[in-house]
Amino acid sequence: DLARRVVYVESSRGCPYRCAFCMSALEKKLRFFPRDATRESLERLWARGTRVFKFVDRSFNAVTDEALWLLEFFLPKLTEEEGLLHLECTPEQLDERLFALFRSFPAGRLQLELGVQTLNPEVAHHIQRPCHPERILHNLRRLLCETGAHLHTDLIVGLPGEDLHSFARGFDQLVAAEPHEVQVGILKRLRGAPLTAMTERFGLRFSSTAPYEVLATDALPFEQLYPLRRFAKLWDKVYNSGHFPRSRRLLLQLDEPDASAFANFAVFVDFVEARHPLSRGIALMRLVELLFERLSLLYSPELAAAAVLDDYLGSGHNDVPRILRPYLDPLAQERVRERRAAQLNHAKRQARHLG
């Protein structure tokens, strides 16, 4: 009866870290449920059909031995065809035993949420969070190269003491590693969290209504912070959605030396805002048009059209956007015809998954 449900589970309570923005900073200690009881509960969920397990442990790998036995429990169960294990991990704390187990899982069966938050050690010190940028980026690249895990990373806008230059630098470093997702979140004030005590020291100003997002800090004034909301919204649609892998690479100029992904995407945000206010929703076809228009200013229209079409077809469509048609070569048009022919021989639902 749980086969089509996502189940949230936990093997521990509390957190060994004291991040100022998190309510877990108030916990006195990290404590684990008994292994036998946890194993019995997981077995019962598996028998009832659960195949998507999202662990809500604050830091799944805080104690390596505890993480290892849970991974060993799931390893024989998750196959190439089914199962998903979602874990929140601290990227600095990944040791060789964990890497060895991660490598053993079939591709796509692990989703790791890596809380980076900032790559500025001084800012991390303000919020009482350990931060070793070189180790974080090294482990992130190893996960990408050596495992089939899907990697979701987080950065927070508006942390105490972090200015725009520092955030942009950390953003560029993280994007250069090319994780599957880079979530840009806005700092929020949780009632009772230690962050409240830092309000005066760092000039933190928050919205008076939920979810109490930061509006400005001494280091990041309102006129710099507010546009980052639009940045985050469009970033989700272009990068984190996974719909535009080739287009986003060209847009961010990731293959160019010394290019800044943050600066390049900020230009695109302004480009889009001038033509389609981001306070409104943006349809996929409109985003395709805007991506093509922007890429045509950076590259030839033919290259831009080929990249956008590849992404559009890869996300499950089989038509050709009108704006691209004048610039497509015969090979690109043949790919579209092949997709249409394939769709005639399959039920509509199955055809959406054809590559």
Side-chain angles (χ1 to χ4, degrees), residues 215-256:
L215 300 175
T217 74
D218 280 351
L220 195 63
F222 178 83
E223 57 269 20
Q224 291 182 346
L225 194 155
Y226 193 78
L228 292 176
R229 298 168 184 267
R230 296 197 298 266
F231 184 105
K233 182 177 181 180
L234 191 58
W235 181 260
D236 275 344
K237 294 184 176 296
V238 174
Y239 190 98
N240 292 336
S241 69
H243 290 321
F244 302 102
R246 188 176 172 191
S247 300
R248 78 190 190 195
R249 190 170 193 87
L250 295 174
L251 182 67
L252 302 177
Q253 301 179 49
L254 292 180
D255 297 320
E256 299 293 329

Side-chain angles (χ1 to χ4, degrees), residues 261-279:
F262 179 86
N264 290 331
F265 197 77
V267 171
F268 181 60
V269 173
D270 291 340
F271 178 88
V272 171
E273 181 69 18
R275 293 157 178 78
H276 185 105
L278 289 168
S279 56

Side-chain angles (χ1 to χ4, degrees), residues 66-352:
E66 294 292 336
L68 288 173
W69 85 260
L70 282 164
L71 290 171
E72 289 166 351
F73 170 87
F74 281 103
L75 182 58
K77 298 181 180 296
L78 272 60
T79 68
E80 293 184 2
E81 290 78 28
E82 70 171 1
L84 179 67
L85 193 58
H86 177 108
L87 312 171
E88 296 185 27
C89 294
T90 304
E92 297 103 314
Q93 303 299 323
L94 299 175
D95 70 6
E96 291 303 324
R97 293 178 295 166
L98 284 171
F99 271 106
L101 265 178
F102 287 156
R103 284 193 292 267
S104 301
F105 281 85
R109 299 303 102 194
L110 284 180
Q111 178 161 314
L112 303 183
E113 184 171 335
L114 305 174
V116 178
Q117 320 309 3
T118 180
L119 286 171
N120 184 325
E122 183 178 353
V123 173
H125 177 73
H126 292 329
I127 58 172
Q128 306 171 59
R129 181 181 180 84
C131 178
H132 305 90
E134 296 81 8
R135 195 185 309 168
I136 291 172
L137 296 172
H138 174 72
N139 285 345
L140 179 56
R141 292 188 178 97
R142 282 194 63 187
L143 288 169
L144 289 165
C145 292
E146 300 176 17
T147 78
H150 181 277
L151 304 185
H152 172 106
T153 59
D154 296 301
L155 285 176
I156 297 180
V157 172
L159 290 174
E162 183 147 58
D163 60 18
L164 187 62
H165 174 76
S166 170
F167 180 82
R169 182 172 180 272
F171 181 90
D172 285 345
Q173 290 176 300
L174 190 55
V175 172
E178 299 190 61
H180 302 101
E181 297 179 17
V182 178
Q183 186 73 40
V184 178
I186 308 298
L187 179 67
K188 298 173 179 62
R189 177 178 60 83
L190 302 179
R191 292 182 183 273
L195 184 71
T196 304
M198 301 180 181
T199 300
E200 292 187 11
R201 178 184 172 192
F202 292 101
L204 306 178
R205 287 184 287 156
F206 294 92
S207 169
S208 60
T209 57
Y212 311 110
E213 292 184 337
V214 68
L215 300 175
T217 74
D218 280 351
L220 195 63
F222 178 83
E223 57 269 20
Q224 291 182 346
L225 194 155
Y226 193 78
L228 292 176
R229 298 168 184 267
R230 296 197 298 266
F231 184 105
K233 182 177 181 180
L234 191 58
W235 181 260
D236 275 344
K237 294 184 176 296
V238 174
Y239 190 98
N240 292 336
S241 69
H243 290 321
F244 302 102
R246 188 176 172 191
S247 300
R248 78 190 190 195
R249 190 170 193 87
L250 295 174
L251 182 67
L252 302 177
Q253 301 179 49
L254 292 180
D255 297 320
E256 299 293 329
D258 301 323
S260 168
F262 179 86
N264 290 331
F265 197 77
V267 171
F268 181 60
V269 173
D270 291 340
F271 178 88
V272 171
E273 181 69 18
R275 293 157 178 78
H276 185 105
L278 289 168
S279 56
R280 308 202 313 258
I282 181 168
L284 176 63
M285 187 58 70
R286 182 59 177 146
L287 187 53
V288 165
E289 294 170 354
L290 292 167
L291 267 173
F292 170 71
E293 290 175 16
R294 176 59 188 162
L295 290 176
S296 295
L297 299 177
L298 300 172
Y299 309 93
S300 70
E302 292 77 16
L303 176 60
V308 174
L309 180 65
D310 274 354
D311 291 340
Y312 185 73
L313 295 178
S315 62
H317 299 83
N318 71 340
D319 58 315
V320 181
R322 185 184 304 274
I323 195 172
L324 306 181
R325 294 175 188 172
Y327 307 101
L328 296 176
D329 59 28
L331 182 60
Q333 297 181 41
E334 180 62 27
R335 290 202 305 276
V336 177
R337 284 193 289 271
E338 289 174 356
R339 282 191 61 83
R340 286 177 174 165
Q343 192 171 40
L344 293 175
N345 297 316
H346 293 78
K348 183 177 180 181
R349 181 175 179 182
Q350 284 73 23
R352 284 203 298 264

Side-chain angles (χ1 to χ4, degrees), residues 10 12-17 22-25 27 30 55-62 88-90 113:
E10 60 182 350
S12 64
R13 293 274 175 89
C15 182
Y17 307 109
C22 182
M23 293 300 292
S24 292
E27 295 277 358
L30 174 65
F55 276 80
V56 296
D57 299 56
R58 297 298 185 267
S59 182
F60 181 81
N61 61 320
E88 296 185 27
C89 294
T90 304
E113 184 171 335

